[in-house]
Amino acid sequence: MVRSYHRRAFCAATVIGLACLGLPAMAQEWPTAPLHLFVGFPAGSSPDTIARLVAEPLSEALGQPVVVENKPGAGGVIGVQQMLAQQDGGLSFGITINGPLTTAPRLIADLGYDPARDIAPIGLIATSPLVLVVGSDFPADDAAAFIEDAKARPGEISYGSVGQGSGAHLTAELFASEAGIELFHIPFQSYAEVTTSILGGEIDTGFMAPSAAVAHVEAGKMKMLGITSSEPFAQVPDVPVLAGQAGLPDDFRAELWNAFIAPAGTDEAVVQRLNTELGKILADPEVQEKLLAIGWQTAPGTPQDLSRRIAEDTAMWGEVIDKTQTED
């Protein structure tokens, strides 16, 4: 009886063990062909650089080439559309900034996809805040003084961006709304023109990437009054956060981010494996250093974390877009 019991227990354990091995078998066998990583920006752009930083170690981990496919256009939207158009059985993925997943559905009528329905989040990669900058001759030396000045002369302080719906435009409108001030928007064709106009005193202020402002600050031609992240940013650790200053809410945050995504319906085991590999890549100090050098700070997390971030930012930017469209 004892021998029979052990035989049955061994057989049951064997069956259970084989079944357990079968669960990750698909993910272990996948991929059997090269992966394609769609990026909605040209070679040399930040999203492209980030994609290539991820692609090489990911290829080593998966044992298949990971090919970066640059499909620039419409602020990254074309890259997402191209990823979704592929019918290759789970071999096409994307690296995108936040716009195509959060603001594009409100700004583009014929987008062709619904992020909540058509996208499977894999994981956040990195975030980049913006800094509130002014020329060296601007009287305010911090955000509180800037807000006080703006309240004293509503609509007179001008800021530049690269157009309606851009990250800098929406960030400035969110900042103005939360601070209870009114700023005058002047759109430009490029960030270089915004920077030149601030340095030349043609406009007063703007929001830009810390990496774009550092050299001008060090040259004494520009001042950084605050940063839009919820915590100090490693690239400019001495710049104070805007959150909690001069009436701004303690949870004020406006960041750009890059994320790893897949088409909806991608096998959950594949999503989880890619998230695990992404976490390992982002834990590499060399990758962290390279990202920080181009103005990005690693922000690893789960697919659920990314899903929540998409939902939160969609709601936040949606309110800003509605407000600006109403005012227009």
Side-chain angles (χ1 to χ4, degrees):
M1 290 294 293
V2 173
R3 184 178 302 168
S4 175
Y5 168 79
H6 283 305
R7 186 182 301 114
R8 290 197 301 272
F10 173 77
C11 291
T14 301
V15 170
I16 293 171
L18 290 173
C20 290
L21 286 174
L23 288 175
M26 187 284 298
Q28 288 177 351
E29 294 171 0
W30 172 92
T32 56
L35 272 65
H36 298 271
L37 198 54
F38 286 83
V39 180
F41 293 88
S45 63
S46 289
D48 172 74
T49 301
I50 290 170
R52 293 178 192 280
L53 280 174
V54 169
E56 184 176 349
L58 186 61
S59 175
E60 294 176 2
L62 298 180
Q64 287 285 349
V66 177
V67 182
V68 175
E69 305 275 4
N70 296 100
K71 302 294 180 181
V77 165
I78 300 299
V80 176
Q81 292 174 335
Q82 288 293 309
M83 176 196 77
L84 293 173
Q86 308 307 306
Q87 301 293 327
D88 53 14
L91 295 172
S92 289
F93 302 90
I95 285 183
T96 180
I97 62 170
N98 42 318
L101 304 183
T102 59
T103 60
R106 304 293 286 269
L107 297 170
I108 302 176
D110 56 347
L111 187 60
Y113 64 87
D114 178 354
R117 180 193 65 216
D118 299 321
I119 300 297
I122 294 173
L124 199 63
I125 298 174
T127 61
S128 177
L130 298 175
V131 286
L132 174 64
V133 301
V134 294
S136 57
D137 294 333
F138 194 86
D141 290 322
D142 56 43
F146 179 93
I147 292 171
E148 183 179 354
D149 186 12
K151 286 182 176 179
R153 45 192 185 110
E156 294 183 24
I157 295 179
S158 58
Y159 76 91
S161 81
V162 289
Q164 296 282 343
S166 65
H169 169 235
L170 295 180
T171 297
E173 291 298 322
L174 176 65
F175 168 72
S177 177
E178 296 286 11
I181 60 177
E182 182 183 347
L183 303 174
F184 181 65
H185 180 214
I186 301 178
F188 290 84
Q189 293 296 315
S190 69
Y191 288 108
E193 289 178 318
V194 175
T195 302
T196 300
S197 295
I198 293 173
L199 295 174
E202 297 169 14
I203 61 174
D204 297 304
T205 187
F207 282 88
M208 64 177 58
S211 56
V214 167
H216 302 297
V217 173
E218 291 176 346
K221 297 179 180 180
M222 186 178 282
K223 296 183 286 189
M224 291 186 282
L225 305 184
I227 197 161
T228 62
S229 51
S230 57
E231 298 178 354
F233 189 60
Q235 194 176 41
V236 285
D238 296 330
V239 178
V241 298
L242 290 169
Q245 289 200 56
L248 288 170
D250 292 338
D251 61 351
F252 179 86
R253 180 184 68 181
E255 294 175 319
L256 305 178
W257 43 261
N258 269 268
F260 197 174
I261 61 171
T266 300
D267 193 283
E268 186 176 346
V270 170
V271 170
Q272 291 298 331
R273 184 175 180 193
L274 288 172
N275 178 266
T276 298
E277 298 300 341
L278 179 64
K280 294 176 183 177
I281 293 168
L282 298 181
D284 184 341
E286 184 177 349
V287 171
Q288 294 175 1
E289 185 178 342
K290 288 180 178 179
L291 283 171
L292 191 59
I294 60 171
W296 295 85
Q297 190 161 283
T298 55
T302 66
Q304 293 74 26
D305 292 334
L306 176 55
S307 181
R308 281 192 294 270
R309 185 65 180 266
I310 293 171
E312 290 171 359
D313 281 14
T314 298
M316 178 181 73
W317 294 123
E319 291 181 8
V320 177
I321 290 169
D322 288 345
K323 184 175 184 296
T324 57
Q325 289 178 340
T326 299
E327 291 174 349
D328 291 343

